[in-house]
Amino acid sequence: LVGLPASLTGKIKGSFAYNTIKDRLPLILTRVIDTLHRHKHEFFEEHGEKGIEAEKKAIGYLSKLRNELQTDKPLIALNDNLPDTPLWNQYLEYHKNVSNEPPSWFQSPWLYTECYLYRRIHEAVIQSPPISNYDVFKEEKNHAFFESQQAMISLSSCLQEMLKNTDGLDEKRLKEEFCNLIQVSLWGNKCDLSISAGADNSQKSDPLQSVEELKKFILVDHVEKLWSLLINKKKNKTPTRLDIVLDNAGFELITDLVLADFLISSELVTEINFHGKSIPWYVSDTTKHDLDWTIGQMKAANHKWMARCGVSWEGYLKKGVWIYHDHMFWTLPHEFSSMAEIAPDLYTELQKSSLIIFKGDLNYRKLTGDRKWEFTVPFHQALNNFQPAPLCSLRTLKSDTQVGLKPGQGEQLMNIDPEWMITGKYGIIQFDATS
Ligand code: F6P
Ligand code: MG
């Protein structure tokens, strides 16, 4: 890794990484313990005494984990013999060798330790049969969905209104609708439950109405480049495959599916591949179960246009116009520049895409390697040879990395709002094409 800037870590007191490890992660663990405790009766009803024993076992493991984290103990090897276990342990060994000291919560790369925490939570549950399949974040994700009901009604109604006219829309109108929905999907990323440590962070206002007033908070806006790519393909009648690397369930997922529906209906793309997580991750990240549950809720909603969305989305999946994938790489701690080596099958799959949209902050951290880049370093350079296909990040800023800014832009933002990088107030639509 010679020539690359250092990884972000929790070494510096007061840094966002430090505060996350010190305050937010223990809080997330406490909430997980509390959730298991509150569902004790459910486990008993389903599995009898064995359910209660499993709950106790998982809680014991998680309390120990919280203690390791709070006292900055060395990170220990995983012990659950899952297909990804050796990769985690190799990575641990590697960092041990690089730094000549045992990796620990605050000293090791933040990207690794934070991902490691979620993987250890998974280990706690997986090693506690018969509750091994329990999603400890399910309750928070479901709650967030119901809390954004009003915003979902507005958005699905607007979508159905747009879809009535897509055939007759001239290019200018089509472009306008596209730009609006891209921005709605961008701002949907504010609603993640890891930044709020699981507390309610749902969308309350009408998302399309906010687009205009939020424009000034978009720091890098490459929406024109996205549009040119898609409209040129449509004009040439080339089949266009879009890949969306999903982030959070709840309102953000609805914004992604609304965008996806619009792109298919307007024939701007011909096929969409969604990529989700195979285990519960960063509190609100989307799993296959979350996607199915969400579509089921939409179908059953007591609102005509929400239900219409649910029916169409299920139809797209059945017809194979939409395809859902998960891959263990998305829940490894590796930056994306190592995908070709660690997960060559996934890299080859993504190479088939015409455009890959990466949603959210964690994906951006992995795209750029979670390093101390200068703000003005080109996005292409920070990608460090990760270029399976043209790609775009739709992300609200919730961590200490940002590249591709104009000279002086970062410094100016720092003066206006010292917290500009960590609150989700600002966003980017950042594009890179191989050639
Ligand atoms: O816990 C901090 C963090 O890693 C931040 O980078 C970000 O706020 C969050 O978790 C995940 O955000 P997202 O859901 O947008 O990937
Ligand atoms: Mg997330």
Side-chain angles (χ1 to χ4, degrees), residues 379-432:
F379 185 38
H380 187 79
Q381 184 183 334
L383 288 169
N384 190 21
N385 295 322
F386 177 69
Q387 38 194 218
L391 60 87
C392 179
S393 160
L394 295 185
R395 166 241 189 183
T396 60
L397 279 67
K398 287 174 276 177
S399 63
D400 286 336
T401 302
Q402 183 58 54
V403 295
L405 297 187
K406 296 197 192 87
Q409 195 181 0
E411 291 70 16
Q412 198 186 355
L413 283 158
M414 203 70 92
N415 287 333
I416 303 172
D417 180 356
E419 302 221 298
W420 66 282
M421 294 180 87
I422 57 173
T423 54
K425 176 174 164 186
Y426 291 89
I428 52 163
I429 302 173
Q430 198 163 31
F431 176 80
D432 180 71

Side-chain angles (χ1 to χ4, degrees), residues 192 247-248 282 284-285:
D192 100 81
D247 189 3
N248 305 301
Y282 278 69
S284 41
D285 284 15

Side-chain angles (χ1 to χ4, degrees), residues 13-14 82 110 148 198 207 238 270 287 292 351 367 375:
K13 281 201 178 147
L82 296 182
W110 172 36
S148 357
T238 334
T270 41
T287 62
D292 293 343
Q351 281 179 313
L367 283 166
F375 298 140

